Each structure stands twice: as structure tokens, then as C-alpha cells.
Amino acid sequence: MLYLGIAAVSVGGLSVLPFLLGDYGTGLLVGLAGYVTLATAWAMFSGPTRYISLATVAFFGVGAYTVAVLNEVLPYPLVLLCAAGIGATMALLVGLSTLRLAGIYFVIFSFGLAELVRQLITWFEVNVTGTLGRYIFLDLGAREIYWQLLALGVCTIGLAAWIRRSRLGLALRVIGDDETVAAHSGINLARSKLVLFVASATIITLVGAIQAPRWVYVEPSIVFNPTVSFLTVIMALLGGATRLWGPLCGAVPLFLLFEWLSARFPDHFSILLGLLFMAVVYALPNGVLAAIEGLRKPKRNGASKEATA
Amino acid sequence: MILSTLFLGLVLGGTYALLALGLSLQYGIARIMNLAYGEFMLLACFAVFMMFTSWGIGPLWGLLVVVPLGYALGWGIHALMMRPLLKRSGGGGRLEVDTILATFGLLFVVQGLMLVSFGSDFTSYSYLDRGIALLGTTVAANRLIAFVLSLVIGFGLYAVLVRSRWGRALRAVALAPDSAYLVGIDVNRLGRQGFALGGALAAAGGALVSMFQTFSATDGVVFTMKALIVVIMGGVGNILGALIAGLLLGLAETFVAAFIDPGLTLAATYTLFLAVLLWRPTGLFGRAGG
């Protein structure tokens, strides 16, 4: 009950923030909420299973593009529903063809997926519809987008928390530790992985769809920017992909840092990103939260040794 | 039309096969999935381009320069970046995830460096761009040279791996890294040599591709992707399999580009990949030592 109370108060506090901050601050909040949701959704699947997905932007971009195509045809809630449906279908197809095999096939498939979807959409737009580039005319300001993302983010963290306590979460942790053991204890490997992958990809698609009105003008090279995949992975890893609050702890400082870096060093941004990414992989293999715990533990062990001696 | 497309496809496929061989060595022998592979290939493209346009050194001489450099770079990266990860993992399944992530970061660093130094424009140079009559059609001389060279390098490597003592040791590491110790093979050293050899092949592939194709600093991902697909189609560690799969992929791509639509080449690549995954995930020719 206490936790629910804290959660309600903090969500309430977060939702009035746009009134206190100016336009620039609200813009930052949109990005923050977006990346926290992306990183949490990514870690929901890739954390416990250790199947590194490099295809975040493939789903994100599909969400954004669906809104760009349908925004004048259907009412907004239906557009979001369509985006989620398309994202889920795509994840189902990708998952069915790769998740039954060893993890490396999934990684490779996801590595080129964004480029494939981008080229396919470009080809379709140029050859069939004849228009490359679309406009989004939706009456949604930064504030409304932020509230939607906040709601989605809260749902995502709630879902992640629920999955961790459920049998499915336990099954995934066993799969991540040892697939053979998991299979022998009667876990349906492919189905467990597939369910989580589809859930995670659907959320990622929705983030893209909700953020789409921020662009106004959309074309494949804008919405399929590989940096999104990259940032999502590094944020989740920095915080710790196996922890519930890890992605959030990684996303907040990194997003602000990237915002500053991309303004200060626009030309060298991707070099700095890559170096930072490697630093995280080498220095904090299990994330900041685990490193902090690791710093505390040795002391405790030392104390207990003294006690026994 | 069909015959000339066939030639174009074989030429492209020859270079894909060479690129895939390098990646296959890095993954098969050194156990490192190198996602920055395409970036190293592009470095060779730019190096050969710079040597040709600023100093007038032909790409064939350039090839002789970039291949040893590729070997050295591969060696250095393995020693500096991969060794700590190898030590940390202690031979567990953790290594795969760690190397994927580390090379994913490296990809952005190298790509960023290339964007800063060469810009994002498409680059090409014209070298031996005249046609040679062959079986009733004409093929550009540079493509023909690239094809012949990639076959020579590919089969030369195959001969070395199958015939020489060093090659046998490398294959032993690829097949059974845990037992190779028992017969006195220094697995770590050979792993590094395998990784460096992969770097040399990436450089060779890059130099050959740059002779007949335009390239840009952001093309790396697509080349890595194609090399990965060829490796899986041929079977990890299977050299002849990679050669054949590379040629098949080159042919499939060229035929799709010529008869359906040039915008769908990556889709064709992925379709092939999907077919292999669904039908024979261990590769068309299985996982073999040869």
C-alpha cells in the first residue's frame, strides 16, 4: 500500500511538471519519458534472456510511420491501436523465425532489421504511392505527448514489475541462465521468449507512434535513425538490464548528457557515443546499480569473516 | 542480358564470399562476433581511394598495403579490446554478449571517425573502367580483376587452412577450443591470429569492392549484414560453404536488382536469410571443419 501511495504521488508530481517548466523543459520531458519507456521495454525482454535486440528503431520507426500514414484517415486512438497491431505482428514474425534458434541468429536478424524496413518503406513510397515524406497534422502539443508517454511509461514499469513476479519472469531468468536446464524443467522456451518479445516490441512501437506528432514532417531516414537503437541499449545497460529500475536509472542521466553532447559536439556525437558505450560495457558490465551493491558487499563479507574468526 | 547479369552477380558474389570468409574466421576461430566488420572494410575502401586519388598508387598496389594493415589492426583490436573480455568471461556464454556489445560500440566510433574525415557522400574512383569482351558480352576490367583476385585469395586461404600445419591448428581451435590445449596448441595466440586474419580479409574485400562500386561512410552495417548472412548460409567455420553462399547471394542480389527493382536488394538478402533460418539453420552445407 505504501509503495502504491509513493507511486501515485510521484506520478502526480511528474504529470504537473510541464506546467512548471517552460517549452524547452517540456520538450526534454518528452524525450526523457520516451527513452525511459524504450529502455524499460527493451530490458524487459533482453535483460533476463540476454538476447540483445539491436532492432529498437525498427519498431519505433514503424510506429511513427504508421501515424504518419493514417493520421488523416482514422481517429487518433484507432491510429495508435493500428500501430500497436502492426508492431506486434512484425515482432511475432521476427520472433517466430528467430527465437527458436540460438541467440546469435536473433542478434544478427535484429542488427539489419531497421535498415530492411527502411528500404522496404522507401521502395514502397517511391514506387507505389509516389510520395516520399509525409506530414502529420495532429492537434497534440508537447504537453499532451508527454502525458501519453508518462502513462505508457508507468504501464511499462508496472508490467515489468508484474512479469518479474510471475511464472513467466522466473521462466525467462532460467532461460537466460541456462537454456538446457530451462528446457528440462518443462519451460516452453520459444513461447516464453516470444510472448515477452512481442510485448516489448509493441510498447516500443507505441513510443514511436506517440512521439510522431513532434516531427510534423516524417520520412524513412528521419524515423529510422540507428542512434535510437543505440541509445536504448546503452541506457538499459548503464542502469542494469536485469533490474526493474535499472533502465530508468540509466536513461535519465544519459539522456541529459546526450542532449548536452549533441548540442556541443554535433559532428563528433557518434564517436563520443561509441566511446561511452564501450566504457559502459567494460567498466560496468552489470550496470550501475549492481556496481553500487558490489561496493557495499565486500565490506559486509569482511565484517562477517571477522565475526566468525 | 542474362549472361551479363550473371557475370555481375558472380563478381559481387566473389567479394561477398571474401568478406564472409574474414567474418567467419573471426567468429569461428576467435569466437568474436564482430559487428564493426563492415566498418573495417570501409576503412580499407577509403584508404585505397585516398592512395589512388592523392598519390596515384593503383588499387592493386593499395591492396598490398591495406592487407597487412588490416592484419595489424585486427591484431591490435584483439589484444587491446577483446582480451579483457575473454579474460572476464572465462570461456562462458557471456563472451558472445560482451563482444557483440563492445563491437557495436566500436562500430559507432569508427563510423563517426569516417564521417568526420570523409563526409557522408558517396565516393568512387575510376580505375581500369574499360570493357573486356567475354563470351559475347562485355565486363568491366576492374570487375574481372576483382573477381579473379577474390577467388585466388579465397582458394589460397582454403589451401593454407587445409594443407599447412598452422591452418590445421587454426581449424582445431575452431572445432574444439577446449581440447586444442591438450595437443599443445596455444588457443589464445591462434585466436588472435584468426581475428587478425579476418581483419586482413576485410581489408582485401574492401580494396576489391572499392574498385568497382560506390561506397559511403554509413554503408558498414549493410556490408556486415551481408557477410553475416553468407556466414550463416554457408555454415559457421565452413570455408567452401562461405565461398558458395557468397556467390549465391551476389547472384540473387544482382538478378533482383536487374529484373525486379534495385531498391529491393536488401529485401532479397533477407528473404534468403529467412529461408535458410527456417529450413536449415546450421547452414546449407552444415557445420564442417573444412
Side-chain angles (χ1 to χ4, degrees), chain B residues 54-286:
Chain B
S54 9
W55 300 328
I57 299 172
L60 294 180
W61 292 109
L63 188 69
L64 290 181
V65 177
V66 293
V67 168
L69 282 181
Y71 190 90
L73 192 63
W75 180 281
I77 283 176
H78 193 278
L80 284 176
M81 279 185 61
M82 298 306 156
R83 247 179 85 88
L85 296 180
L86 285 166
K87 268 188 186 161
R88 187 162 92 190
S89 76
R94 169 114 213 219
L95 179 66
E96 201 165 81
V97 174
D98 276 352
T99 54
I100 286 169
L101 291 173
T103 54
F104 191 52
L106 189 65
L107 180 166
F108 272 71
V109 175
V110 179
Q111 194 186 71
L113 287 173
M114 285 193 294
L115 281 173
V116 169
S117 358
F118 305 107
S120 56
D121 296 335
F122 281 97
T123 312
S124 67
Y125 56 89
S126 91
Y127 167 74
L128 286 182
D129 209 5
R130 55 172 184 272
I132 287 180
L134 198 74
L135 296 176
T137 60
T138 47
V139 185
N142 51 20
R143 286 181 191 264
L144 207 61
I145 294 174
F147 180 61
V148 171
L149 272 178
S150 45
L151 284 192
V152 167
I153 298 174
F155 281 107
L157 184 76
Y158 177 70
V160 168
L161 285 177
V162 173
R163 298 275 164 193
S164 76
R165 194 179 164 77
W166 183 57
R168 216 167 285 147
L170 282 175
R171 282 189 297 141
V173 175
L175 273 179
D178 297 329
S179 338
Y181 283 109
L182 303 177
V183 288
I185 293 173
D186 185 345
V187 174
N188 280 329
R189 198 167 63 96
L190 280 164
R192 197 175 317 159
Q193 286 172 350
F195 192 81
L197 202 58
L201 281 172
L208 294 179
V209 164
S210 76
M211 281 167 54
F212 62 89
Q213 208 176 331
T214 54
F215 48 92
S216 79
T218 48
D219 279 352
V221 172
V222 175
F223 278 111
T224 310
M225 200 59 220
K226 284 172 185 168
L228 283 170
I229 291 174
V230 171
V231 168
I232 289 175
M233 272 171 71
V236 176
N238 186 336
I239 290 174
L240 283 183
L243 280 176
I244 297 168
L247 291 177
L248 275 179
L249 185 70
L251 283 174
E253 232 177 59
T254 326
F255 272 89
V256 167
F259 295 104
I260 303 175
D261 192 295
L264 290 177
T265 49
L266 194 65
T269 313
Y270 250 88
T271 313
L272 262 180
F273 185 34
L274 253 184
V276 171
L277 281 186
L278 295 177
W279 178 49
R280 295 198 70 160
T282 48
L284 296 178
F285 314 100

Side-chain angles (χ1 to χ4, degrees), chain A residues 36-42 44 149-162 203 207 244:
Chain A
V36 167
T37 316
L38 284 179
T40 310
W42 183 88
M44 209 160 86
L149 284 176
L150 187 65
L152 184 64
V154 170
C155 292
T156 308
I157 292 178
L159 181 67
W162 178 75
I203 294 170
V207 175
L244 178 60

Side-chain angles (χ1 to χ4, degrees), chain A residues 50 52 54 96-98 100-101 103-105 107-113 115-116 119-120 123 127 226-227 229-230 233 237 267-268 270-271 273-275 277-278 281-283 285-286, chain B residues 27 33 35 81-82 84-85 88 94 96-98 100-102 104-109 111-113 116 221-222 224-225 228 232 261 263-267 270 273-274 277-278 281-282:
Chain A
R50 297 191 193 163
I52 307 294
L54 303 173
L96 278 176
S97 41
T98 55
R100 291 173 300 134
L101 307 168
I104 195 76
Y105 296 102
V107 177
I108 293 172
F109 202 89
S110 74
F111 183 57
L113 189 64
E115 185 64 20
L116 172 74
Q119 288 197 7
L120 279 179
W123 177 82
N127 289 285
T227 316
S229 302
F230 191 78
V233 179
L237 287 180
D267 295 336
H268 301 85
S270 84
I271 303 177
L273 273 188
L275 289 176
F277 190 101
M278 291 201 285
V281 173
Y282 282 91
N286 298 315
Chain B
Y27 186 56
M33 177 49 72
L35 292 183
M81 279 185 61
M82 298 306 156
L85 296 180
R88 187 162 92 190
R94 169 114 213 219
E96 201 165 81
V97 174
D98 276 352
I100 286 169
L101 291 173
F104 191 52
L106 189 65
L107 180 166
F108 272 71
V109 175
Q111 194 186 71
L113 287 173
V116 169
V221 172
V222 175
T224 310
M225 200 59 220
L228 283 170
I232 289 175
D261 192 295
L264 290 177
T265 49
L266 194 65
Y270 250 88
F273 185 34
L274 253 184
L277 281 186
L278 295 177
T282 48

Side-chain angles (χ1 to χ4, degrees), chain A:
Chain A
M1 232 23 233
L2 178 69
Y3 287 112
L4 276 181
I6 296 175
V9 170
S10 36
V11 169
L14 284 173
S15 58
V16 296
L17 268 182
F19 295 111
L20 306 173
L21 301 165
D23 282 346
Y24 177 71
T26 313
L28 276 186
L29 284 178
V30 169
L32 260 178
Y35 272 112
V36 167
T37 316
L38 284 179
T40 310
W42 183 88
M44 209 160 86
F45 171 72
S46 295
T49 56
R50 297 191 193 163
Y51 278 47
I52 307 294
S53 164
L54 303 173
T56 308
V57 80
F59 295 102
F60 180 87
V62 162
Y65 217 81
T66 310
V67 174
V69 173
L70 296 178
N71 78 89
E72 287 175 357
V73 190
L74 292 173
Y76 183 66
L78 275 184
V79 175
L80 285 189
L81 211 63
C82 278
I86 293 173
T89 315
M90 198 167 105
L92 203 63
L93 290 177
V94 173
L96 278 176
S97 41
T98 55
L99 287 176
R100 291 173 300 134
L101 307 168
I104 195 76
Y105 296 102
F106 172 77
V107 177
I108 293 172
F109 202 89
S110 74
F111 183 57
L113 189 64
E115 185 64 20
L116 172 74
V117 178
R118 189 178 72 83
Q119 288 197 7
L120 279 179
I121 291 182
T122 309
W123 177 82
F124 188 82
E125 292 282 58
V126 169
N127 289 285
V128 182
T129 55
T131 52
L132 190 63
R134 289 166 178 276
Y135 292 91
I136 301 175
F137 298 115
L138 281 172
D139 193 20
L140 290 168
R143 216 176 274 168
E144 285 82 9
I145 293 175
Y146 169 66
W147 284 328
Q148 291 179 59
L149 284 176
L150 187 65
L152 184 64
V154 170
C155 292
T156 308
I157 292 178
L159 181 67
W162 178 75
I163 286 173
R164 289 171 71 85
R165 287 157 178 244
S166 70
R167 288 175 65 86
L168 184 61
L170 186 63
L172 282 177
R173 281 202 290 281
V174 180
I175 292 174
D177 284 342
D178 195 323
E179 291 213 354
T180 321
V181 172
H184 280 275
S185 38
I187 294 170
N188 188 335
L189 296 182
R191 203 184 59 199
S192 316
K193 286 185 274 188
L194 195 62
V195 168
L196 250 258
F197 180 61
V198 171
S200 145
T202 310
I203 294 170
I204 291 172
T205 315
L206 275 175
V207 175
I210 293 174
Q211 279 196 357
R214 293 280 290 165
W215 275 298
V216 182
Y217 174 76
V218 162
E219 63 173 43
S221 60
I222 297 176
V223 290
F224 291 100
N225 179 359
T227 316
V228 176
S229 302
F230 191 78
L231 291 185
T232 307
V233 179
I234 184 178
M235 284 166 176
L237 287 180
L238 175 69
T242 50
R243 282 148 199 275
L244 178 60
W245 298 104
L248 183 125
C249 295
V252 174
L254 278 181
F255 178 78
L256 296 174
L257 178 69
F258 291 145
E259 202 57 22
W260 181 75
L261 281 178
S262 62
R264 277 301 281 281
F265 310 99
D267 295 336
H268 301 85
F269 185 52
S270 84
I271 303 177
L272 293 171
L273 273 188
L275 289 176
L276 204 64
F277 190 101
M278 291 201 285
V280 170
V281 173
Y282 282 91
L284 299 163
N286 298 315
V288 170
L289 294 182
I292 293 172
E293 265 175 27
L295 280 180
R296 283 153 125 196
K297 249 182 203 156
K299 279 184 199 158
R300 221 182 286 151
N301 286 350
S304 63
K305 255 180 218 157
E306 274 167 34
T308 47

